[in-house]
Amino acid sequence: MDKHPIADYLTYIGASLPSRGNGWRKMKCPFHEDTHASAAVNYDKNRFKCFGCQVSGDIYDLIMYKEGGNYREAVKFAESISPTGSGNIRSIS
């Protein structure tokens, strides 16, 4: 199953994203007060990790952490905020 881009949710919550590139890209964590880049995002792997507050995962993990709900609700939430729509995402019934 293809997943929504993690950048969609990070942008939605107001994170300042690093430029695209290969591997892990340093950034300030949007989940806690961060004065320096304690987190990283990997666009190729579609993953996020903060070494300060330990929040990590894919877009659905981040949505469940911040917004609450279960996996199915996180997928629906991602569909509602994703500019790419749900065309490549398998429907969950």
Side-chain angles (χ1 to χ4, degrees), residues 24-30 32 34 36-41 48-52 55:
W24 290 93
R25 313 293 285 182
K26 292 181 182 179
M27 64 181 287
K28 289 184 179 180
C29 180
H32 72 277
D34 205 356
H36 64 285
S38 65
V41 63
F48 173 87
K49 170 73 176 161
C50 177
F51 297 95
V55 172

Side-chain angles (χ1 to χ4, degrees), residues 1-5 8-9 12 59-60 63 71-93:
M1 172 171 90
D2 291 338
K3 294 182 179 181
H4 291 91
D8 290 352
Y9 184 65
Y12 174 80
I59 185 172
Y60 310 122
I63 291 171
Y71 180 80
R72 189 173 298 194
E73 293 165 330
V75 170
K76 289 182 187 258
F77 188 93
E79 289 171 355
S80 74
I81 64 165
S82 179
T84 59
S86 60
N88 294 329
I89 307 301
R90 180 173 55 95
S91 175
I92 296 179
S93 354

Side-chain angles (χ1 to χ4, degrees), residues 19-25 42-44:
S19 61
R20 295 216 175 246
N22 295 330
W24 290 93
R25 313 293 285 182
N42 186 314
Y43 298 113
D44 297 327

